[in-house]
Amino acid sequence: MNVAIMGYGTVGSGVAEVLKKNHEHIVKKSLQESLDLKYILDLRDFPGDPNEKLVIKDFNTILNDETVGVVVETMGGLRPAFEFVSACLKAGKSVVTSNKELVAAKGLELLALAEENNVNFLFEASVGGGIPIIRPIIQCLSANEIEEVAGILNGTTNYILTKMFMQGTAYEDALADAQRLGYAERDPSADVDGIDACRKICILADLCFGREVKPDSFRVEGIRNITSADVGYARAWGGVIKLIASAKSENGGSNISLRVSPAFISGDSQLACVNDVFNAILVRGNALGDVVFYGRGAGKLPTASAVVADVIDCARHSERRKPFGWSDAPDGFVLGEGEFTSRFFVRTQSVKESVLSAFADAEFITFDGAPADETAFVTGMIKKQELDEKLAALGGVKSVIRVTDY
Amino acid sequence: MNVAIMGYGTVGSGVAEVLKKNHEHIVKKSLQESLDLKYILDLRDFPGDPNEKLVIKDFNTILNDETVGVVVETMGGLRPAFEFVSACLKAGKSVVTSNKELVAAKGLELLALAEENNVNFLFEASVGGGIPIIRPIIQCLSANEIEEVAGILNGTTNYILTKMFMQGTAYEDALADAQRLGYAERDPSADVDGIDACRKICILADLCFGREVKPDSFRVEGIRNITSADVGYARAWGGVIKLIASAKSENGGSNISLRVSPAFISGDSQLACVNDVFNAILVRGNALGDVVFYGRGAGKLPTASAVVADVIDCARHSERRKPFGWSDAPDGFVLGEGEFTSRFFVRTQSVKESVLSAFADAEFITFDGAPADETAFVTGMIKKQELDEKLAALGGVKSVIRVTDY
């Protein structure tokens, strides 16, 4: 069986490298006589690249070659990735992708297309890079009703927050550092505004709760507004600040609440120890309790390794579809922002007495060097809508950050 | 399809509970019309138990009932578990077990028997309780040559070491506390002497390296000799002490080194944050880097949840065998103790000058309250045999603890 790669960027070239590096091992695992890289589709030329001769410009070469059984899509973006992947599936070729944007936006449609054509559409690498998460959710945790899935899904923002926390670096300087190291793009919006984490949590929510949720159906908040003072308060409280993407079953599974936002994480949480560019995903099952999967959420070889595991799976099970998928979500499935229930950290210009009259259970926090003329506290469990109403009445609110229970 | 449980102890009754609690969800996942618990084999009676009527005493009732497609073995111990499991597999019934002793000692034989009879023998719950680890190793990491698998595989010893570290409790008191809480048996040997962790690392090594290794083929060292002074040195060095079970590929995969022993773990390692009864397993792949799986390594419902996931898998794929197994190991596959290479922490009555003449790269450690009249240091990478020779010449050695690089 032959393999084609569409998109020879970081991940695509990593896939070629892993296929070569572990070739013998991979062929054996795939139960095929051979598993060879035949084409690399890319508009660019790669003079001097060891795979230079495999590079083609015409997608139809792949589409019309019956020896190509598995196509790897590592182009990124929605178009033409969506059209190419659709065409491959219709032509009876299995497709493996690392493209979270594609899966988050078109996963339901592509899985249906794969099913119709009796091939596989796999996307382990689209969430958590090399961390095995999609298969464990589908198979290993199958005895559980999943109550919540949450995690640190973006390495760039985690690097920035770690630097702010460990070294007291200001946000702008930590971002500049991440850009210098190649962790952040020149336009860092997809990372720092939570867009990347949002796509990933949508995919995890689809898998865990069986309904397709759209990236634009809920509140997404990035880390741009996190200050050194917030970091100081988190430390004084006994924890850290992480960008947490989460999806939680609500009302006995009739709804879910989704959120991407900075959060206070207790220092004894397993997520609190996840530093630098590492990712971690927590899954809470009703029988299992919490399990956490940790590793490199990005990077050439880790991500490529997840792609190649999917390629092996496609080759190994060329006669059979992997058993997952989800269906459309009914209207109102994703709860509105106001329904989101949590504890919250609040900084306000109001005095303690005013805070206590609105939040009798407020737990005040301060630290040496805390900004003057403000009061900081953590609330008890409260609906976001109720919180907003109380804070509007209180006035002088400077920032609000949720507090997780994991 | 019907299910039978052999052994109605903690895990067995947990399996019955999860099958009932998540029944609708489980039947749907299993792709069967029904998946009902029909028999519970146990020599004891359970008056008043909700499943009292299902309890039987005669194993042949299960064996001869063609409607029983999956048998859960949660009896523990080698006999009669081995005979019962063998008979079930020969009768064309898939078997799911949480019994690490059985898998570590008889896994190869039982997998072969399952293959002959075209049924499944699954054992996800035998390592790491509810933590998904076996399937991720087999499937998700398949693109990688695995370089090392290591972890905190025993919750009882981790509880004791956490208490010694966090609260300065002496070993004996921490053990008594674990016994009081039901984490440790009255005879704690299987836990504190590393026997339980040894069985689990054998299973992981079998899976990662494809060769069956026997629990008695390598050095196993428990935590009985860890003192408060060792804990103080570990803290001063910037880390913690954990009981680490590890299996590492050596000589390009021709050999492996295996070890269960206390170890110094750097404070910024993901394993350093694993406290109390939690377990974590680190897998290092040649493309992937390190991934860590974290969760409850024991406990009724977490373990039962892993068993039931396997039951679902058996029911779902009743026509097909799960693709794993391993073969006999050639003589000399497991390297001898002397070949084990690592950094080591050493306490000796020798003076610094003598230490430096033997270990030029020694990194000395001390702390307020360290025992007088001794020198403590960490070596560079060295073979155990060479270390032992140097230490014999040096004399006055009080303790030796390995230092990991993860």
Side-chain angles (χ1 to χ4, degrees), chain B residues 26-317:
Chain B
I26 288 167
V27 171
K28 189 176 149 203
K29 291 263 181 185
S30 73
L31 303 183
Q32 297 287 323
E33 285 185 14
S34 65
L35 196 70
D36 294 315
L37 178 59
K38 189 163 180 184
Y39 304 115
I40 293 168
L41 180 72
D42 204 294
L43 293 178
R44 297 166 292 179
D45 289 311
F46 298 89
D49 186 280
N51 295 308
E52 186 183 357
K53 284 180 302 181
L54 305 181
V55 178
I56 57 167
K57 312 280 171 195
D58 181 3
F59 169 64
N60 289 307
T61 310
I62 294 171
L63 197 63
N64 298 327
D65 187 333
E66 287 189 357
T67 71
V68 174
V70 185
V71 179
V72 172
E73 187 276 301
T74 45
M75 310 166 68
L78 264 189
R79 310 201 178 265
F82 175 65
E83 286 74 16
F84 285 5
V85 168
S86 301
C88 290
L89 294 171
K90 284 180 191 161
K93 300 177 193 306
S94 288
V95 175
V96 173
T97 186
S98 62
N99 183 341
K100 55 205 160 276
E101 191 178 351
L102 179 69
V103 181
K106 299 287 184 180
L108 178 59
E109 196 172 336
L110 292 169
L111 282 166
L113 208 52
E115 181 161 3
E116 277 168 34
N117 292 281
N118 204 31
V119 290
N120 283 300
F121 175 61
L122 302 182
F123 43 89
E124 178 67 65
S126 67
V127 181
I131 307 170
I133 178 65
I134 291 179
R135 254 187 221 81
I137 286 177
I138 293 298
Q139 298 195 323
C140 309
L141 311 181
S142 59
N144 285 262
E145 305 261 8
I146 293 175
E147 294 175 347
E148 183 156 3
V149 57
I152 296 165
L153 299 179
N154 180 271
T156 307
T157 46
N158 203 45
Y159 176 84
I160 293 170
L161 290 171
T162 302
K163 224 166 154 60
M164 289 175 73
F165 201 87
M166 298 283 200
Q167 290 158 37
T169 314
Y171 169 76
E172 292 74 17
D173 297 333
L175 170 61
D177 197 53
Q179 286 171 320
R180 195 176 50 74
L181 290 167
Y183 295 154
E185 307 284 328
R186 193 177 294 183
D187 173 1
S189 177
D191 293 318
V192 301
D193 292 328
I195 300 169
D196 173 77
C198 168
R199 289 172 180 146
K200 293 170 179 168
I201 194 66
C202 284
I203 298 172
L204 292 175
D206 293 342
L207 288 164
C208 289
F209 304 112
R211 302 289 192 171
E212 175 149 296
V213 294
K214 294 294 184 188
D216 58 2
S217 63
F218 62 99
R219 170 97 186 272
V220 174
E221 188 187 336
I223 64 165
R224 286 187 199 260
N225 298 324
I226 299 297
T227 64
S228 300
D230 294 321
V231 167
Y233 284 116
R235 185 180 287 119
W237 173 76
V240 295
I241 299 179
K242 298 289 184 189
L243 181 66
I244 297 291
S246 61
K248 185 177 180 186
S249 177
E250 305 274 6
N251 303 323
S254 310
N255 296 99
I256 63 171
S257 60
L258 275 157
R259 184 169 264 238
V260 174
S261 74
F264 272 35
I265 304 275
S266 165
D268 56 15
S269 162
Q270 193 64 13
L271 295 183
C273 316
V274 177
N275 288 323
D276 298 322
V277 296
F278 284 87
N279 282 196
I281 297 140
L282 175 145
V283 184
R284 180 170 286 180
N286 73 339
L288 178 61
D290 294 350
V291 289
V292 176
F293 304 79
Y294 167 93
R296 291 189 178 278
K300 181 174 176 167
L301 292 186
T303 308
S305 129
V307 170
V308 174
D310 276 350
V311 169
I312 292 170
D313 218 5
C314 287
R316 185 165 192 135
H317 301 132

Side-chain angles (χ1 to χ4, degrees), chain A residues 22 143 273 292 294 305 316 323, chain B residues 22 143-144 273 286 292 294 316 323:
Chain A
N22 294 340
C273 316
V292 176
Y294 167 92
S305 130
R316 184 164 192 135
Chain B
N22 294 341
N144 285 262
C273 316
N286 73 339
V292 176
Y294 167 93
R316 185 165 192 135

